[in-house]
Amino acid sequence: MKIMLKAVLEDTSLYQPGLSIDCVIFGFHDNQLKVLLIKTKYSEKWALPGGFVPVDEDIDQAAVTVLNNRTGVKGIFLRQFATFGCAKRNDSDFSSIVLDFYGIPKEKGEWYTNRFVTVGYYALVDFSQIIPQQVGKNETVEWIDHHAVPELILDHKEILDKALETLRMELNLMPVGYNLLPEKFTIPELQRLYETILGKKLDRRNFLRKITAIGILVKLDEKKSNVAHKAPNLYSFDKQKYQEVVKNGLNQGW
Amino acid sequence: MKIMLKAVLEDTSLYQPGLSIDCVIFGFHDNQLKVLLIKTKYSEKWALPGGFVPVDEDIDQAAVTVLNNRTGVKGIFLRQFATFGCAKRNDSDFSSIVLDFYGIPKEKGEWYTNRFVTVGYYALVDFSQIIPQQVGKNETVEWIDHHAVPELILDHKEILDKALETLRMELNLMPVGYNLLPEKFTIPELQRLYETILGKKLDRRNFLRKITAIGILVKLDEKKSNVAHKAPNLYSFDKQKYQEVVKNGLNQGW
DNA sequence: CTAACTTTGCGTCATAATAACACTTTGTAG
DNA sequence: CTACAAAGTGTTATTATGACGCAAAGTTAG
């Protein structure tokens, strides 16, 4: 949220006032659902990667920019899920600390101390292809297991929770995996992804049946190597059909 | 969106800049899904009821205020569904027309001519209990069949479409009807509500089976009177169970 | 008054989707 | 070569769904 705050304050007229973007960036590694978080130097707490919205730019585009800055990857799954506008988001103590840290005088930082509303986006990215980008010297970017998320600034925890809740719900409407797994993967890996997102165990055999019934998987003539026990078969997604299903949706209740 | 624009411009520091609320208010009458729309005097086009956000107020609360102003009813179903922030929303031609109409000089109306991002909410209300409220003398408020929606200002049509799409999707996650129907209603009425929202016919007998299986209906010892043909039985919702199901959700795909 | 018609209410039946579970295969580790 | 762990491939019982049939209740047309 404070990407290039200094630069923004140089000419605040270029940015939408009182509006920010926050991204919940999910990755999958070691059977863990990871979230990309930022450790700021001006606070003990962590934060979601975020940014501001140029006045002449779509908010969706601004979210893409945030994502590119943090992950260096383009063309990934990104979806708006909610907008957060509690009045108490206006934590002037917090913004004062940030301004102090950067040595910005209060008059100049007034734009930033006003009440902010933030639009939440969540992204699904391939962990193995993303090297967290350090933006500026004053923060560290890290993948953190979603079960081990430390205290976050402001209402970022609430935003993160809502993102995960939305992702869980969207699992019923679309397949997931194309964006979170490498090109080639195994069914057990895909299953563990689902289990991790849902937070519960699934039956191996029933999972296979349901997931293949969707018609988005391509069984490769290749097995995973260097694994303990029986080598699982490798699969990849039929990108064409995958996109179709994402677009048209799965189970329609009515 | 231009409720009390004049009053707002009196002291713009009290309002969140560049941010508005737009409400898609659904009602059900004569087997038609109705939307509450505003006919403004300064344009041939219609608009969604909207408003601005006081800086010290939650956006959800601001949406409630809009709703109360328009329908005069409190405690109704209201849900945020998306935020619209296309750069082209910044239609300066449009805002100039509005300012001209109200006779507001350009300097004073600068706050309003800036680019706006709007948060979309949709509401479900009992048509029979709502008398559209006229706010100010320069606009008319009317229930309009969602199939007969005229041309709307800016991207309001897109917002309306997205609201309906969201409502359709949410039908798979929760029951609907408590907010749209009168206290007592018949199964055929409820079915027609579902059919209207979904835009397709449902089988009478299968509908009854599915809807009763949810366990939210109470069969009353009373039949609808003054109707042609066989008098249908009246039902009401078990409010307790209804709320539970809305909270916990229906079909879990996984 | 009666026959035709419309709508409601309550079923059935075949099929599809889901949950629960058993056995075999393949490779590792000791 | 034996024990073990994970993968792959079933089966079966139960439930949910979709497609219909038929009788009851009330209205309308002649």
Side-chain angles (χ1 to χ4, degrees), chain B residues 5-53:
Chain B
L5 178 58
K6 265 184 155 165
V8 171
L9 290 177
E10 286 305 313
D11 189 353
T12 55
S13 73
L14 298 179
Y15 291 85
Q16 191 76 11
L19 191 72
S20 59
I21 298 287
D22 281 305
C23 289
V24 181
I25 305 174
F26 290 112
F28 188 66
H29 188 64
D30 275 346
N31 293 334
Q32 289 181 332
L33 188 65
K34 306 277 192 178
V35 184
L36 200 64
L37 292 178
I38 288 171
K39 176 67 181 68
T40 54
K41 292 271 168 68
Y42 50 77
S43 166
E44 283 311 302
K45 300 177 186 174
W46 292 65
L48 294 172
F52 300 108
V53 183

XYZ file of all heavy atoms in Angstrom, chain B residues 5-53:
388
model
N -26.353 16.658 -4.294
C -25.047 17.078 -4.786
C -24.710 18.476 -4.288
O -23.589 18.748 -3.866
C -25.017 17.030 -6.312
C -23.733 17.495 -6.982
C -22.548 16.677 -6.498
C -23.844 17.404 -8.495
N -25.720 19.327 -4.326
C -25.509 20.707 -3.891
C -25.028 20.762 -2.452
O -24.063 21.453 -2.119
C -26.808 21.510 -4.009
C -26.903 22.275 -5.313
C -28.166 23.129 -5.332
C -28.022 24.309 -6.264
N -29.316 24.937 -6.572
N -25.706 20.000 -1.611
C -25.337 19.985 -0.191
C -23.927 19.463 -0.006
O -23.149 19.988 0.793
C -26.324 19.115 0.590
N -23.599 18.436 -0.759
C -22.266 17.840 -0.644
C -21.201 18.857 -1.038
O -20.161 18.975 -0.381
C -22.153 16.579 -1.522
C -20.707 16.098 -1.577
C -23.064 15.479 -1.006
N -21.496 19.586 -2.099
C -20.499 20.537 -2.588
C -20.305 21.714 -1.632
O -19.327 22.451 -1.732
C -20.887 21.032 -3.986
C -20.776 19.988 -5.100
C -21.244 20.558 -6.429
C -19.360 19.447 -5.222
N -21.257 21.863 -0.707
C -21.117 22.929 0.298
C -19.853 22.717 1.126
O -19.171 23.650 1.497
C -22.339 22.949 1.230
C -23.589 23.517 0.606
C -23.371 24.909 0.036
O -22.778 25.751 0.732
O -23.778 25.141 -1.129
N -19.611 21.454 1.461
C -18.393 21.146 2.208
C -17.888 19.773 1.787
O -18.201 18.761 2.400
C -18.667 21.170 3.719
C -17.360 21.059 4.504
O -16.303 20.831 3.871
O -17.406 21.186 5.730
N -17.110 19.771 0.726
C -16.656 18.500 0.162
C -15.702 17.771 1.100
O -15.492 16.573 0.959
C -15.935 18.727 -1.175
O -14.876 19.660 -0.982
C -16.891 19.277 -2.225
N -15.155 18.481 2.080
C -14.198 17.829 2.977
C -14.883 16.779 3.848
O -14.229 15.963 4.477
C -13.509 18.866 3.862
O -14.407 19.343 4.833
N -16.222 16.823 3.872
C -16.948 15.850 4.686
C -17.162 14.528 3.947
O -17.613 13.556 4.525
C -18.309 16.417 5.097
C -18.279 17.676 5.969
C -19.690 18.148 6.277
C -17.520 17.384 7.261
N -16.825 14.525 2.656
C -17.105 13.330 1.866
C -15.845 12.737 1.249
O -14.919 13.454 0.869
C -18.132 13.641 0.779
C -19.498 13.927 1.342
C -19.842 15.204 1.783
C -20.425 12.903 1.482
C -21.089 15.461 2.345
C -21.669 13.147 2.033
C -21.998 14.428 2.465
O -23.225 14.656 3.019
N -15.853 11.451 1.155
C -14.760 10.725 0.518
C -14.677 11.173 -0.938
O -15.645 11.038 -1.678
C -15.068 9.222 0.607
C -13.930 8.316 0.226
C -12.882 8.227 1.320
O -13.079 8.682 2.444
N -11.746 7.648 0.980
N -13.532 11.684 -1.355
C -13.434 12.193 -2.724
C -13.358 11.048 -3.743
O -12.788 9.994 -3.475
C -12.113 12.970 -2.706
C -11.315 12.330 -1.617
C -12.298 11.856 -0.586
N -13.972 11.281 -4.893
C -13.850 10.313 -5.992
C -14.475 8.969 -5.731
O -14.165 7.999 -6.412
N -15.357 8.913 -4.747
C -15.965 7.619 -4.416
C -17.468 7.761 -4.271
O -17.947 8.677 -3.616
C -15.384 7.062 -3.110
C -15.757 5.614 -2.803
C -15.015 4.675 -3.738
C -15.468 5.266 -1.358
N -18.196 6.866 -4.901
C -19.644 6.881 -4.765
C -20.175 5.484 -4.524
O -19.452 4.500 -4.634
C -20.285 7.485 -6.018
O -19.926 6.744 -7.164
N -21.443 5.438 -4.175
C -22.169 4.200 -3.947
C -23.275 4.135 -4.981
O -23.941 5.143 -5.224
C -22.844 4.232 -2.558
C -21.814 4.337 -1.443
C -23.751 3.027 -2.370
C -21.052 3.102 -1.202
N -23.458 2.975 -5.612
C -24.640 2.813 -6.458
C -25.365 1.549 -6.033
O -24.746 0.505 -5.824
C -24.242 2.750 -7.932
C -23.954 4.135 -8.501
O -24.841 4.997 -8.388
O -22.854 4.357 -9.031
N -26.663 1.666 -5.914
C -27.472 0.547 -5.439
C -28.379 0.009 -6.533
O -29.108 0.765 -7.170
C -28.340 0.968 -4.257
S -27.422 1.249 -2.742
N -28.336 -1.288 -6.714
C -29.291 -1.955 -7.586
C -30.347 -2.566 -6.669
O -30.091 -3.530 -5.967
C -28.613 -3.049 -8.431
C -29.624 -3.711 -9.348
C -27.447 -2.470 -9.217
N -31.516 -1.952 -6.653
C -32.571 -2.370 -5.732
C -33.600 -3.210 -6.480
O -34.290 -2.727 -7.364
C -33.243 -1.141 -5.093
C -32.183 -0.258 -4.428
C -34.293 -1.573 -4.083
C -32.711 1.053 -3.879
N -33.658 -4.493 -6.108
C -34.566 -5.415 -6.782
C -35.856 -5.575 -5.998
O -35.846 -5.657 -4.771
C -33.926 -6.797 -6.934
C -32.792 -6.867 -7.914
C -31.493 -7.102 -7.484
C -33.017 -6.716 -9.282
C -30.441 -7.184 -8.390
C -31.969 -6.794 -10.193
C -30.678 -7.025 -9.743
N -36.936 -5.640 -6.735
C -38.229 -5.968 -6.153
C -38.912 -6.974 -7.052
O -38.449 -7.237 -8.168
N -40.023 -7.553 -6.572
C -40.711 -8.562 -7.376
C -42.197 -8.266 -7.359
O -42.814 -8.164 -6.293
C -40.427 -9.950 -6.792
C -40.928 -11.067 -7.645
C -40.386 -11.294 -8.902
C -41.936 -11.898 -7.189
C -40.842 -12.332 -9.699
C -42.398 -12.946 -7.976
C -41.848 -13.152 -9.231
N -42.758 -8.130 -8.541
C -44.186 -7.795 -8.633
C -44.727 -8.255 -9.978
O -44.043 -8.113 -10.993
C -44.378 -6.273 -8.491
C -45.815 -5.863 -8.391
N -46.622 -6.242 -7.333
C -46.580 -5.105 -9.205
C -47.826 -5.733 -7.503
N -47.833 -5.034 -8.631
N -45.967 -8.772 -9.953
C -46.590 -9.233 -11.189
C -45.693 -10.189 -11.962
O -45.589 -10.109 -13.196
C -46.907 -8.037 -12.107
C -48.241 -7.407 -11.748
O -49.008 -8.045 -11.001
O -48.494 -6.287 -12.214
N -45.037 -11.052 -11.239
C -44.129 -12.012 -11.872
C -43.018 -11.348 -12.667
O -42.504 -11.916 -13.627
C -44.892 -12.968 -12.779
C -45.805 -13.860 -11.975
O -45.556 -14.115 -10.797
N -46.854 -14.330 -12.605
N -42.695 -10.153 -12.266
C -41.597 -9.460 -12.936
C -40.554 -9.051 -11.909
O -40.892 -8.630 -10.804
C -42.104 -8.201 -13.641
C -42.944 -8.462 -14.872
C -43.390 -7.165 -15.517
O -43.535 -6.150 -14.844
N -43.602 -7.203 -16.821
N -39.321 -9.165 -12.307
C -38.243 -8.655 -11.475
C -38.110 -7.171 -11.781
O -37.884 -6.781 -12.925
C -36.935 -9.393 -11.789
C -35.770 -9.101 -10.854
C -36.061 -9.600 -9.445
C -34.496 -9.738 -11.390
N -38.278 -6.361 -10.748
C -38.262 -4.915 -10.944
C -36.972 -4.317 -10.390
O -36.404 -4.844 -9.436
C -39.429 -4.278 -10.197
C -40.791 -4.858 -10.537
C -41.340 -4.235 -11.792
C -42.811 -4.581 -11.962
N -43.380 -3.952 -13.147
N -36.576 -3.233 -10.978
C -35.402 -2.502 -10.484
C -35.829 -1.066 -10.229
O -36.555 -0.482 -11.034
C -34.267 -2.519 -11.524
C -33.027 -1.849 -10.966
C -33.957 -3.935 -11.955
N -35.390 -0.531 -9.111
C -35.732 0.846 -8.778
C -34.769 1.796 -9.486
O -33.567 1.780 -9.221
C -35.655 1.043 -7.259
C -36.427 2.237 -6.696
C -37.914 2.072 -6.929
C -36.144 2.398 -5.220
N -35.315 2.595 -10.386
C -34.455 3.494 -11.158
C -34.894 4.943 -11.007
O -36.026 5.236 -10.620
C -34.485 3.106 -12.637
C -33.845 1.774 -13.004
C -33.993 1.504 -14.498
C -32.375 1.748 -12.605
N -33.973 5.815 -11.327
C -34.223 7.242 -11.198
C -34.195 7.906 -12.558
O -33.277 7.683 -13.353
C -33.121 7.875 -10.320
C -33.324 7.455 -8.876
C -33.139 9.391 -10.445
C -32.178 7.839 -8.005
N -35.221 8.701 -12.799
C -35.215 9.504 -14.018
C -34.782 10.909 -13.625
O -35.460 11.586 -12.870
C -36.605 9.538 -14.649
C -36.716 10.434 -15.868
C -35.889 9.889 -17.026
C -35.981 10.798 -18.240
N -35.310 12.095 -18.015
N -33.631 11.268 -14.146
C -33.120 12.589 -13.810
C -33.623 13.606 -14.816
O -33.898 13.280 -15.962
C -31.589 12.575 -13.830
O -31.159 12.082 -15.090
C -31.043 11.676 -12.746
N -33.695 14.850 -14.384
C -34.236 15.885 -15.242
C -33.184 16.455 -16.173
O -33.478 17.068 -17.179
C -34.821 17.011 -14.369
C -36.064 16.592 -13.600
C -37.347 16.810 -14.381
C -38.546 16.132 -13.755
N -38.946 16.741 -12.472
N -31.922 16.268 -15.802
C -30.855 16.879 -16.590
C -30.389 15.979 -17.717
O -29.484 16.311 -18.459
C -29.655 17.208 -15.697
C -29.209 16.057 -14.834
C -28.467 15.017 -15.368
C -29.558 16.006 -13.487
C -28.088 13.954 -14.577
C -29.183 14.953 -12.704
C -28.443 13.931 -13.251
O -28.076 12.879 -12.474
N -30.988 14.799 -17.824
C -30.571 13.872 -18.879
C -31.757 13.033 -19.307
O -32.695 12.811 -18.545
C -29.444 12.980 -18.364
O -29.260 11.886 -19.234
N -31.730 12.548 -20.535
C -32.801 11.672 -21.017
C -32.647 10.273 -20.451
O -33.539 9.449 -20.524
C -32.795 11.632 -22.547
C -33.402 12.870 -23.190
C -34.756 13.209 -22.566
O -35.656 12.345 -22.608
O -34.908 14.333 -22.031
N -31.462 10.008 -19.932
C -31.182 8.659 -19.445
C -31.591 8.484 -17.990
O -31.735 9.443 -17.248
C -29.687 8.359 -19.597
C -29.215 8.440 -21.036
C -27.732 8.207 -21.140
C -27.250 8.436 -22.555
N -25.771 8.356 -22.648
N -31.754 7.240 -17.630
C -32.080 6.892 -16.252
C -30.803 6.530 -15.509
O -29.746 6.372 -16.111
C -33.077 5.731 -16.224
C -34.429 6.102 -16.738
C -34.748 6.469 -18.015
C -35.645 6.150 -15.998
N -36.087 6.752 -18.115
C -36.667 6.554 -16.892
C -35.992 5.888 -14.670
C -38.002 6.690 -16.479
C -37.319 6.020 -14.270
C -38.307 6.437 -15.174
N -30.933 6.391 -14.205
C -29.753 6.102 -13.393
C -30.088 5.205 -12.212
O -31.243 5.100 -11.792
C -29.149 7.407 -12.885
N -29.083 4.549 -11.685
C -29.246 3.809 -10.440
C -29.236 4.803 -9.289
O -28.520 5.809 -9.341
C -28.082 2.836 -10.241
C -27.968 1.678 -11.232
C -26.660 0.932 -10.999
C -29.154 0.739 -11.092
N -30.004 4.537 -8.252
C -29.917 5.380 -7.069
C -28.532 5.245 -6.448
O -28.011 4.147 -6.332
C -30.996 4.825 -6.137
C -31.326 3.473 -6.652
C -31.017 3.483 -8.111
N -27.976 6.371 -6.099
C -26.624 6.337 -5.549
C -26.399 7.463 -4.583
O -27.304 8.242 -4.287
N -25.192 7.525 -4.099
C -24.878 8.581 -3.153
C -23.389 8.652 -2.896
O -22.612 7.913 -3.491
N -23.040 9.555 -2.004
C -21.634 9.726 -1.671
C -21.344 9.153 -0.294
O -22.263 8.805 0.454
C -21.263 11.202 -1.752
C -21.490 11.774 -3.126
C -22.538 12.670 -3.368
C -20.685 11.396 -4.192
C -22.756 13.175 -4.637
C -20.901 11.907 -5.466
C -21.934 12.792 -5.688
N -20.073 9.074 0.035
C -19.668 8.426 1.274
C -19.053 9.433 2.245
O -17.974 9.956 1.990
C -18.622 7.324 0.993
C -18.246 6.600 2.276
C -19.124 6.359 -0.065
